[in-house]
């Protein structure tokens, strides 16, 4: 493994660790990193989707066991998100690499801006009978030992928004959490811890829906995939271990700086050609 | 408020799938390092295993939730149906 695969492995290790520390999917970092290493944009996206599946698979197992991921909310939104993933994966095959680079740059700017003004909404009180599609649930908050009850509302509207999350995931090889988490937290009134865990649970199937399309178009380099997935998987495990020890604010600022650099790189790639 | 859902099979499917795929990827890297021609095949198997893992976990969810959480089971089957469409489209495109 001399050359691009080794560099990709080390880069994915860092991307996976940093992604887990900051709380974003590795795809936001992996795709521009691979592109910077000279990998074709479609291939970078296809390989990144596999990394997203691996992080989701590993993360959602522990989130399900801890009771943070709400399977019913996740599956409800997943029907829409996975359908969006097919659309995104299909459309990506029709678009030129430089257009995808430009779109990626725009999404990175959006995520960096969102990170700067990140505020989480507290869960709404559970009062009265739930409406037809509302979902009542609870989880044990580990920091206080308190059982938090919540009611997920606006399921129909959130499903519509989730289609967009799937399209972006399939189109750009990112997790879709950048849309799913605020949708669940702000629109559905789901606590931020549950929203993040449920989003992680959803990412795997969403990415799988589009990854098969990249695979069928021959846009997945097998050895690169092996290096990147192994790197992201191991990196995310290390990052998750230390995520509570590193100051969140410093990491967020660091992410904003890195995302801005990558955004400029991707937008320049679009403008240059 | 709500009964704790049955998740054992779903979790086991996720863990086994991830471990199996990671094992194949690490084997592929090791084979690539020694210049063995099977490296690419091991990596391809890893890719297929990884892509199949969410679907297998969904099938496990549908099975274990069927008796007590019928709505969850039906939703898992609906997501599986969407993934089947993706696979059918991929097979059609590769012809």
């Amino acid at each position: 493994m001399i050359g691009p695969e080794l560099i990709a492995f080390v880069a994915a290790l860092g991307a996976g660790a940093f992604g887990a520390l900051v709380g974003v999917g590795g795809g936001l970092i992996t795709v521009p990193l691979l592109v910077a290493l000279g990998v074709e944009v479609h291939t970078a996206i296809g390989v990144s989707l596999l990394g997203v599946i691996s992080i989701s698979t590993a993360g959602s197992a522990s989130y399900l066991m801890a009771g943070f991921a709400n399977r019913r909310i996740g599956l409800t939104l997943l029907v829409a998100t996975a359908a969006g993933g097919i659309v995104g994966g299909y459309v990506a095959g029709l678009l030129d690499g430089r257009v995808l680079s430009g779109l990626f740059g725009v999404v990175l700017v959006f995520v960096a801006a969102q990170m700067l003004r990140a505020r989480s909404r507290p869960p709404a009180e559970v009062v009265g009978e739930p409406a037809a599609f509302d979902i009542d649930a609870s989880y044990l908050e580990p920091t206080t030992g308190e059982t938090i009850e919540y009611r997920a509302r606006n399921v129909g509207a959130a499903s519509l928004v989730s289609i967009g999350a799937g399209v972006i995931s399939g189109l750009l090889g990112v997790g879709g959490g950048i849309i799913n988490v605020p949708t669940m937290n702000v629109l559905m009134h789901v606590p931020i811890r549950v929203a993040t865990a449920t989003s992680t649970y959803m990412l795997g199937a969403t990415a799988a829906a589009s990854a098969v399309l990249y695979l069928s178009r021959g846009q997945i380099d097998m050895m690169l995939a092996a290096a990147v997935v192994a790197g992201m998987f191991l990196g995310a495990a290390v990052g998750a271990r230390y995520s509570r020890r590193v100051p969140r604010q410093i990491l967020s600022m660091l992410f904003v700086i890195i995302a801005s650099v990558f955004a400029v790189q991707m937008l320049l790639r679009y403008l240059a050609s | 408020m709500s009964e704790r859902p049955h998740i054992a099979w779903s979790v086991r499917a996720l863990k086994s799938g991830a471990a199996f795929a990671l094992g194949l990827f690490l084997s592929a890297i090791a084979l690539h390092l020694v210049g063995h021609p099977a490296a690419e095949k091991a990596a391809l198997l890893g890719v297929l295993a990884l892509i199949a893992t969410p679907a297998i976990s969904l099938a496990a969810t549908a099975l274990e939730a069927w008796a007590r959480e019928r709505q969850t089971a039906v939703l898992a089957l609906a997501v599986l149906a969407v993934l089947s469409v993706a696979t059918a489209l991929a097979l059609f495109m590769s012809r």
Side-chain angles (χ1 to χ4, degrees), chain A residues 38 45 48 55 60 84 101-102 107 124 151 153 166 189 191-192 197 199 209 250:
Chain A
I45 292 172
S48 170
I55 287 184
S60 47
S101 297
V107 168
R151 175 170 294 164
R153 302 160 202 259
H189 305 264
I192 191 74
S199 171
I250 294 171

Side-chain angles (χ1 to χ4, degrees), chain A residues 1-2 5 9 50-51 53-54 57-58 60-61 64-67 71-72 75-76 78-79 82-83 86 90 126 136-138 149-150 201 204-205 208-209 211-213 215-217 220 222-223 225-227 229-230 233-234, chain B residues 1-2 4-7 10-11 13-15 17-19 22 25-26 28-29 32-33 39-40 43-44 47-48 50-51 53-54 57-58 61 64-65 69 71-72 75-76 78-79 82-83 85-87 89-91 93-94:
Chain A
M1 192 172 56
I2 299 157
E5 287 94 353
F9 176 77
L50 296 173
I53 300 174
S54 74
T57 307
S60 47
L64 279 171
M65 286 190 294
R71 200 165 55 173
R72 203 163 139 215
L75 289 171
T76 304
L78 197 44
V79 177
I86 298 176
Y90 182 77
V126 181
D136 282 353
S138 61
E149 295 183 349
Y150 59 95
Y201 171 70
V212 284
L213 300 176
L215 184 65
S216 72
R217 289 195 295 259
I220 290 181
M222 297 306 156
M223 286 317 301
V229 173
F233 193 93
L234 298 173
Chain B
M1 168 162 276
S2 54
R4 195 163 169 78
H6 295 79
I7 54 163
S10 311
V11 168
L14 287 169
K15 281 183 171 176
L22 184 64
F25 285 136
L26 291 175
I29 292 170
H32 189 63
L33 278 170
E40 194 96 358
L44 172 62
V47 168
L48 294 175
L50 193 63
I51 290 176
T53 299
S57 172
L58 285 166
T61 299
E64 73 183 340
E69 302 163 77
Q71 213 168 357
T72 300
L75 284 168
V79 180
V82 176
L83 292 182
V85 171
T87 310
L89 185 62
L91 288 172
M93 281 166 59
S94 62

Side-chain angles (χ1 to χ4, degrees), chain A residues 243-259:
Chain A
S243 65
R244 289 187 187 190
R245 295 187 204 174
V246 189
R248 178 97 181 181
Q249 223 155 9
I250 294 171
L251 284 170
S252 296
M253 282 314 296
L254 194 60
F255 174 79
V256 170
I257 293 166
I258 292 174

Side-chain angles (χ1 to χ4, degrees), chain A residues 51 86 96 183 262:
Chain A
I86 298 176
D96 188 61
T183 299
F262 281 148

